[in-house]
């Protein structure tokens, strides 16, 4: 990407982009060299610093350019010029000729070619674009023809004007509400630590009660509709009533199946919720000892903004790079020929790869800091700034690991984006089989990308612990995750759901405050757009902060799994874990002892993180119920054929769910038995 930027700058693209150039290849604001066989080239435009278009409203969206003759002028017309006399007067007063170089200002009103060589009348008032020296019309209605798709919901632009005026009038309120969402996100991160135990169980109970209540209401509505007399219904609405009754039956059956499966999942994972509560409690302590973790989203966002600005600037350079070529109208265009014309493809790949690289650097930084916290027995001996120490280790030792992990995500993301583009282009044209194959491939690639993202994050944690390369760390992390499959599922389901509700809470609180504040402001009547902006920003802020919290919980879990795998609390093999996690381990031992699964000699042996065949069997049962529910839901709620629905679900099951189960069973057979410490 550095070569692309250097090439575009070296070929003069930077000067053409910033200063602009006319239709004859002359760069405005400087002396130009003569181009062979091109008239009006090689002119001295030292005092003509702005690009003026004779017909600025004639846009070509397909080729992303203005279909108009461009000239270098001394000044942009600040007021509308209605006649050629006004154009001539403007040239005499300001010294800025708005007609072609071949026509003198004194000939604007007398020449027969003035209608072709002069700008289209009336000439709209324009102003130079900052830093890019182009004269752009001040009135946005000039582009109304190409904004119809944006404002088709109104017959005129009055609603659009009211929305924009609402945003401008309430900019102070919007800024204040954005700061409120930031404060609420930070407060929620502190609150979760102290009410994690109560919060998890409250959410669990609410989910169960909600599913029971929803199922009961659906069956009640179905019974009520079925018992209602059909004689009172007019014939035209009888078919609609029968369709509604059938839909209620399908929804009620689906809700019942979902509720039963939810009860089974809660029954299997009820003992593992305690570990989630303990990890959330310890994560709160991590943020107290490592307060700079709170500001990690800011640094990542700042780095992404800088890179995106550089990427967009280089892309604009590429748009003006190349050699001068004369088009069919006799004007100059700059085109890149040969293999270099495909540089923008590599530039797009670089956008995805570097963006993933920056996000991976954040994950590695957080993992390194949390690992340092976890494996330091005396927290008073922590480094002064564990975050900066983690950044130092990342730069010195682990950049290759981060680059490899982000490149793997890029290799999966690019094919998925290509398939999504093909699917959007063929929408409504392909048959059912092609639609099924495309959707299945996109779904499988999406699932693979999510799995690789999660595996990469844990691989970075393993790298921070053992300082091994990416492949070794990914293998070690995968073994640990498969050995703790149900615990991973419990943490991700319960923990992610709780954090999602936290995001919803912040958005709702900010939105409610916005409604109350905007309702008292009487300067305008439409405040939908300001409220949408505030809610979107609140969700973005909440997601950034709570995703860091989720990342810390995942790192703590992997540290806990490794700690319990290689240590048992005996002298010389003491645990590194926090007291809260130690209580969880002790409670597990007591439960094992009371259940008769361990004797006196086993009291010092921690139960393995894998339950052997029991874990694998439970995982297989979960996948079976998942597949059955997916097929049933798709076939009842989708309008597609049964074969299409079952094919999609079976492909997802075969390529994502089933391999994980087989790998878990294979690793459980290879795992050596635990060693008892006497």
């Amino acid at each position: 990407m550095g070569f692309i930027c250097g090439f575009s700058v070296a070929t003069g693209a930077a000067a053409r982009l910033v200063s602009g150039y006319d239709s004859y290849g002359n760069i405005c604001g400087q002396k130009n060299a003569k181009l062979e066989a091109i008239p009006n080239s090689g002119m001295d435009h030292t005092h003509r610093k702005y690009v003026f278009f004779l017909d600025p409203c004639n846009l070509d969206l397909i080729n992303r350019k203005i279909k108009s003759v461009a000239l270098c002028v001394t000044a942009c017309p600040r007021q509308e010029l209605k006649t050629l006399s006004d154009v001539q007067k403007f040239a005499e007063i300001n010294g800025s000729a708005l007609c072609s170089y071949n026509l003198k200002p004194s000939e604007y009103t007398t020449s027969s070619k003035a209608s072709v060589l002069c700008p289209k009348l009336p000439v709209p008032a324009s102003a130079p674009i900052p830093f890019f020296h182009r004269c752009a019309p001040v009135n946005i209605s000039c582009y109304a023809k190409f904004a119809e798709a944006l404002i088709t919901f109104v017959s005129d632009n009055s609603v659009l004007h009211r929305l924009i005026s609402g945003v401008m009038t309430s900019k102070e309120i919007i800024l204040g509400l954005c700061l409120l969402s930031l404060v609420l996100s930070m407060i929620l991160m502190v609150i979760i630590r102290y009410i994690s135990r109560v919060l998890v169980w409250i959410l669990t109970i609410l989910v169960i009660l909600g599913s029971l209540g929803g199922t009961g209401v659906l069956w009640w509505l179905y019974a009520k509709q079925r018992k209602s007399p059909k004689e009172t219904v007019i014939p035209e609405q009888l078919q609609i009533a029968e369709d509604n009754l059938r839909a209620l039956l399908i929804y009620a059956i689906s809700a019942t199946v979902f509720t039963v499966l939810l009860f089974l999942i809660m029954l299997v994972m009820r003992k593992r919720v305690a570990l989630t509560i303990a990890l959330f409690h310890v994560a709160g302590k991590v943020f107290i000892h490592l307060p700079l973790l709170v500001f990690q989203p800011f640094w990542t966002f700042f780095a992404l903004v800088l890179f995106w600005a550089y990427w967009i600037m280089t892309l604009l350079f590429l748009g003006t790079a190349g050699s001068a070529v004369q088009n069919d109208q006799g004007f100059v265009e700059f085109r890149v020929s040969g293999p270099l014309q495909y540089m923008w493809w590599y530039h797009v790949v670089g956008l995805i790869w570097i963006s993933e690289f920056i996000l991976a650097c954040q994950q590695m930084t957080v993992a390194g800091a949390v690992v340092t916290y976890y494996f330091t027995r005396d927290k008073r001996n922590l480094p002064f700034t564990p975050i900066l120490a983690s950044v130092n280790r990342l730069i010195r030792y682990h950049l290759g690991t981060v680059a490899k992990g982000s490149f793997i995500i890029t290799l999966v993301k690019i094919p998925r984006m290509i398939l999504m583009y093909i699917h959007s282009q063929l929408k409504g044209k392909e048959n059912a089989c092609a639609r099924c194959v495309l959707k299945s491939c996109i779904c499988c690639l999406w699932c693979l990308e999510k799995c690789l993202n999660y595996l990469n994050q844990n691989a970075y944690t393993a790298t921070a612990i053992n300082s091994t390369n990416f492949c070794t760390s990914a293998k070690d992390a995968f073994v640990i995750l498969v050995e703790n499959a149900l615990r991973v599922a419990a943490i991700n389901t319960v923990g992610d759901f709780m954090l999602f509700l936290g995001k919803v809470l912040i958005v709702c609180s900010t939105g409610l405050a916005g409604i109350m504040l905007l309702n008292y402001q009487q300067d305008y009547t439409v405040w939908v757009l300001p409220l949408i902006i505030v809610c979107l920003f609140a969700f973005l802020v909440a997601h950034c902060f709570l995703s860091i919290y989720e990342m810390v919980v995942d790192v703590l879990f992997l540290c806990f799994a490794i700690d319990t795998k290689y240590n048992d609390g005996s002298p010389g093999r003491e645990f590194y874990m926090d007291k809260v996690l130690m209580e969880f381990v002790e409670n597990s031992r007591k439960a094992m002892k009371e259940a008769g699964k361990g004797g006196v000699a086993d009291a010092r042996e921690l139960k393995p993180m894998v339950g052997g065949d029991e874990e694998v069997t439970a995982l297989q049962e979960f996948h079976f119920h998942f597949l059955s529910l997916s097929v049933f839901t798709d076939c009842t709620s989708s309008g597609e054929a049964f074969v299409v629905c079952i094919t999609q679900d079976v492909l997802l099951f075969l390529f994502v769910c089933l391999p994980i189960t087989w790998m878990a069973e294979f690793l459980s057979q290879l795992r050596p038995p635990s060693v008892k410490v006497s």
Side-chain angles (χ1 to χ4, degrees):
M1 296 184 69
F3 168 77
I4 295 176
C5 183
F7 169 79
S8 58
V9 173
T11 54
R16 287 194 290 268
L17 174 65
V18 176
S19 300
Y21 61 96
D22 60 15
S23 297
Y24 309 101
N26 301 302
I27 299 177
C28 300
Q30 69 179 43
K31 293 182 179 180
N32 297 274
K34 178 69 177 178
L35 299 178
E36 187 175 348
I38 297 178
N40 293 328
S41 63
M43 300 181 65
D44 185 3
H45 288 325
T46 305
H47 301 290
R48 299 173 179 176
K49 299 182 178 180
Y50 302 101
V51 179
F52 175 77
F53 298 94
L54 299 187
D55 188 7
C57 299
N58 189 7
L59 302 180
D60 184 3
L61 295 183
I62 298 177
N63 296 317
R64 303 178 298 278
K65 63 182 181 181
I66 298 177
K67 297 172 59 177
S68 171
V69 177
L71 303 173
C72 292
V73 298
T74 304
C76 301
R78 298 285 182 161
Q79 297 179 350
E80 185 180 42
L81 306 177
K82 298 181 179 180
T83 63
L84 288 176
S85 299
D86 295 337
V87 176
Q88 184 181 31
K89 186 177 180 180
F90 176 80
E92 294 173 351
I93 296 176
N94 298 279
S96 181
L98 302 183
C99 295
S100 177
Y101 303 137
N102 300 326
L103 195 64
K104 297 179 181 180
S106 59
E107 302 175 347
Y108 286 180
T109 56
T110 59
S111 175
S112 59
K113 299 180 180 180
S115 59
V116 179
L117 300 179
C118 289
K120 182 180 179 181
L121 298 176
V123 179
S126 59
I129 300 176
F131 305 109
F132 290 100
H133 303 87
R134 269 81 167 175
C135 296
V138 177
N139 189 359
I140 197 174
S141 62
C142 174
Y143 309 113
K145 176 183 177 182
F146 304 95
E148 291 177 356
L150 180 64
I151 56 175
T152 51
F153 60 95
V154 291
S155 57
D156 55 13
N157 56 0
S158 59
V159 174
L160 183 63
H161 287 168
R162 290 202 302 271
L163 291 174
I164 296 176
S165 64
V167 174
M168 298 304 296
T169 307
S170 61
K171 54 182 180 297
E172 294 84 3
I173 295 179
I174 293 176
L175 181 60
L177 292 173
C178 292
L179 293 177
L180 175 63
S181 65
L182 181 64
V183 174
L184 290 177
S185 300
M186 300 179 70
I187 292 176
L188 182 62
M189 294 178 66
V190 177
I191 292 178
I192 290 178
R193 175 197 170 189
Y194 296 100
I195 64 171
S196 57
R197 186 182 303 274
V198 180
L199 187 61
V200 169
W201 288 116
I202 288 177
L203 293 179
T204 304
I205 294 173
L206 287 178
V207 170
I208 295 176
L209 292 179
S211 60
L212 285 175
T215 304
V217 169
L218 287 172
W219 282 113
W220 175 73
L221 290 175
Y222 172 74
K224 182 180 179 181
Q225 291 285 345
R226 188 176 183 180
K227 292 180 180 179
S228 60
K230 298 182 180 180
E231 293 77 9
T232 58
V233 181
I234 60 178
E236 290 79 5
Q237 297 182 352
L238 183 60
Q239 183 62 35
I240 299 177
E242 293 179 355
D243 293 339
N244 291 336
L245 183 64
R246 189 181 303 109
L248 280 175
L249 177 61
I250 294 174
Y251 294 153
I253 295 176
S254 301
T256 303
V257 175
F258 173 78
T259 303
V260 172
L261 289 179
L262 182 64
F263 270 110
L264 293 177
I265 294 173
M266 291 292 184
L267 187 64
V268 173
M269 296 184 176
R270 69 187 187 280
K271 295 182 180 179
R272 294 171 175 82
V273 175
L275 178 58
T276 305
I277 297 173
L279 288 174
F280 269 78
H281 189 81
V282 177
K285 292 184 178 180
V286 171
F287 279 94
I288 293 177
H289 287 86
L290 309 177
L292 290 181
L293 278 178
V294 178
F295 301 99
Q296 194 64 33
F298 293 107
W299 316 133
T300 304
F301 178 75
F302 182 69
L304 285 173
V305 168
L306 287 180
F307 169 70
W308 290 339
Y310 162 80
W311 187 87
I312 293 174
M313 186 63 65
T314 305
L315 185 64
L316 294 176
F317 287 163
L318 286 176
T320 55
S323 304
V325 179
Q326 195 171 16
N327 59 17
D328 298 335
Q329 289 78 26
F331 300 126
V332 173
E333 294 181 354
F334 292 91
R335 299 175 184 174
V336 180
S337 59
L340 295 178
Q341 62 182 319
Y342 303 106
M343 285 191 301
W344 70 275
W345 282 99
Y346 182 82
H347 195 55
V348 173
V349 174
L351 170 66
I352 302 174
W353 189 3
I354 302 300
S355 299
E356 292 293 335
F357 177 81
I358 294 174
L359 295 175
C361 287
Q362 172 185 268
Q363 295 174 355
M364 177 64 83
T365 301
V366 173
V370 176
V371 165
T372 301
Y373 170 85
Y374 186 94
F375 289 102
T376 301
R377 297 187 188 276
D378 189 356
K379 307 306 179 187
R380 293 174 296 181
N381 296 330
L382 284 171
F384 178 70
T385 53
I387 291 290
L388 296 181
S390 179
V391 172
N392 181 48
R393 289 194 300 270
L394 167 65
I395 296 175
R396 294 180 61 185
Y397 305 113
H398 303 314
L399 285 179
T401 298
V402 173
K404 185 180 293 185
S406 57
F407 181 68
I408 292 175
I409 299 298
T410 305
L411 291 180
V412 177
K413 182 169 289 187
I414 290 177
R416 183 172 66 86
M417 295 176 66
I418 293 175
L419 290 178
M420 291 176 63
Y421 175 77
I422 295 175
H423 180 261
S424 64
Q425 294 298 313
L426 298 179
K427 196 170 186 180
K429 302 177 182 178
E430 77 278 17
N431 54 28
C433 182
R435 183 170 60 252
C436 172
V437 172
L438 276 175
K439 287 185 177 180
S440 301
C441 292
I442 293 173
C443 182
C444 291
L445 287 174
W446 180 84
C447 294
L448 179 61
E449 180 184 338
K450 294 301 179 183
C451 294
L452 288 177
N453 265 318
Y454 186 74
L455 180 60
N456 280 2
Q457 180 180 332
N458 288 276
Y460 300 147
T461 304
T463 298
I465 296 174
N466 301 320
S467 295
T468 52
N469 57 47
F470 177 80
C471 295
T472 304
S473 301
K475 182 196 68 174
D476 296 339
F478 181 75
V479 171
I480 294 294
L481 293 176
V482 172
E483 289 178 351
N484 300 273
L486 288 184
R487 281 181 171 173
V488 171
I491 292 172
N492 281 278
T493 52
V494 178
D496 290 354
F497 183 69
M498 185 171 68
L499 294 178
F500 172 75
L501 289 185
K503 298 173 187 177
V504 174
L505 176 64
I506 292 173
V507 172
C508 292
S509 301
T510 307
L512 179 61
I515 291 175
M516 296 176 62
L517 291 175
L518 295 172
N519 189 42
Y520 285 105
Q521 186 165 332
Q522 304 298 329
D523 295 339
Y524 57 94
T525 57
V526 179
W527 39 265
V528 175
L529 186 58
L531 191 62
I532 292 176
I533 293 175
V534 167
C535 291
L536 289 177
F537 184 84
F539 182 82
L540 177 63
V541 171
H543 175 73
C544 291
F545 278 91
L546 294 182
S547 62
I548 293 293
Y549 204 100
E550 179 183 1
M551 199 180 303
V552 171
V553 171
D554 291 336
V555 174
L556 285 174
F557 170 74
L558 194 66
C559 294
F560 171 77
I562 294 175
D563 192 12
T564 54
K565 183 176 182 179
Y566 295 103
N567 300 308
D568 58 6
S570 60
R573 298 177 62 185
E574 294 85 359
F575 291 122
Y576 288 91
M577 65 186 66
D578 188 85
K579 291 182 179 179
V580 177
L581 293 175
M582 193 78 71
E583 292 177 0
F584 168 78
V585 173
E586 293 298 331
N587 292 335
S588 299
R589 287 177 171 176
K590 291 179 182 178
M592 290 168 52
K593 188 174 181 179
E594 292 175 358
K597 294 184 179 180
V600 178
D602 296 337
R604 296 176 60 187
E605 179 189 0
L606 180 67
K607 182 180 179 181
M609 296 294 289
V610 172
D613 296 335
E614 179 185 354
E615 295 270 354
V616 176
T617 302
L619 194 60
Q620 289 175 340
E621 293 178 357
F622 173 77
H623 289 324
F624 173 75
H625 293 303
F626 169 79
L627 177 61
S628 303
L629 179 63
S630 300
V631 175
F632 176 79
T633 304
D634 282 350
C635 294
T636 53
S637 62
S638 175
E640 297 178 340
F642 173 78
V643 177
V644 175
C645 295
I646 195 172
T647 303
Q648 294 175 356
D649 296 318
V650 169
L651 285 175
L652 178 62
F653 175 75
L654 292 178
F655 289 102
V656 178
C657 299
L658 199 57
I660 295 178
T661 306
W662 289 345
M663 187 63 67
E665 187 172 2
F666 176 71
L667 292 176
S668 66
Q669 299 297 328
L670 295 180
R671 189 184 67 255
S674 57
V675 180
K676 299 180 181 180
V677 180
S678 58

